[in-house]
């Protein structure tokens, strides 16, 4: 018995037909259909296109706030703002804004630092995008 194990005569640890030139995944399985190469286009949760050429307010990580006219954006939330005004913070309390502002002009806001985007001229209630909508 021990001689048989040492000579390599034990059964293979995988099912027959798995190795030795067989294809994996098995032909006809759902995971190897030709349509898998097509990637589904990701849909953005935010639709900022309706705010193009309108004034928006943006809050950033670290507490900075600015407002400006939205000229462009991308899926990573990089924003291009024109006529941008930064709202200065109180030197004693970093979370409190003062009446002081600073004119920045045309700026590109990095999307990874954007925390909040809202329209300057009011807000619009939207349905929660994370809840599955019930079909009627």
């Amino acid at each position: 018995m021990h001689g048989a194990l040492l000579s390599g005569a034990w059964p293979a640890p995988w099912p027959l037909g798995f190795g030795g030139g067989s294809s994996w995944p098995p032909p006809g399985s759902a995971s190897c259909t030709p349509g898998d190469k097509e990637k589904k286009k990701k849909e953005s949760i935010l639709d900022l296109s309706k705010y193009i050429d309108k004034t928006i307010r943006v809050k950033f990580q670290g507490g900075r706030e600015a407002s400006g006219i939205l000229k462009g954006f991308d899926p990573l939330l990089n924003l291009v703002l024109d006529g941008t005004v930064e709202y200065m913070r109180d030197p004693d309390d970093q979370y409190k804004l003062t009446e002081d502002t600073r004119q920045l002009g045309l700026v590109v806001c990095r999307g990874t630092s954007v925390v909040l985007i809202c329209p300057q001229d009011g807000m619009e209630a939207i349905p929660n995008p994370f809840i599955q909508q019930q079909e009627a």
Side-chain angles (χ1 to χ4, degrees):
M1 186 76 153
H2 292 287
L5 290 176
L6 292 176
S7 67
W10 64 85
W14 54 84
L16 294 175
F18 179 75
S22 68
S23 62
W24 188 259
S29 70
S31 62
C32 65
T33 58
D36 281 346
K37 304 261 189 228
E38 301 173 16
K39 291 186 177 181
K40 292 182 180 177
K41 184 178 178 184
K42 285 191 174 183
E43 187 175 310
S44 179
I45 293 175
L46 288 175
D47 181 22
L48 294 178
S49 60
K50 59 186 171 187
Y51 298 113
I52 293 286
D53 292 328
K54 292 188 173 80
T55 303
I56 62 170
R57 186 151 183 159
V58 183
K59 290 187 181 184
F60 299 95
Q61 287 181 347
R64 289 186 176 202
E65 291 188 33
S67 68
I69 300 168
L70 182 64
K71 293 295 183 181
F73 64 95
D74 66 5
L76 299 174
L77 283 184
N78 295 316
L79 307 172
V80 178
L81 300 177
D82 195 15
T84 306
V85 176
E86 180 184 6
Y87 300 95
M88 306 304 287
R89 295 178 288 176
D90 188 353
D92 298 329
D93 184 7
Q94 291 294 318
Y95 298 104
K96 187 175 183 181
L97 294 176
T98 64
E99 297 295 321
D100 298 332
T101 60
R102 179 169 74 156
Q103 298 294 324
L104 299 178
L106 183 67
V107 298
V108 175
C109 306
R110 174 107 174 156
T112 56
S113 65
V114 172
V115 174
L116 180 131
I117 302 170
C118 65
Q120 187 77 12
D121 300 329
M123 291 190 246
E124 174 186 341
I126 62 168
N128 188 341
F130 299 106
I131 296 177
Q132 294 290 334
Q133 299 295 328
Q134 294 179 356
E135 295 181 17

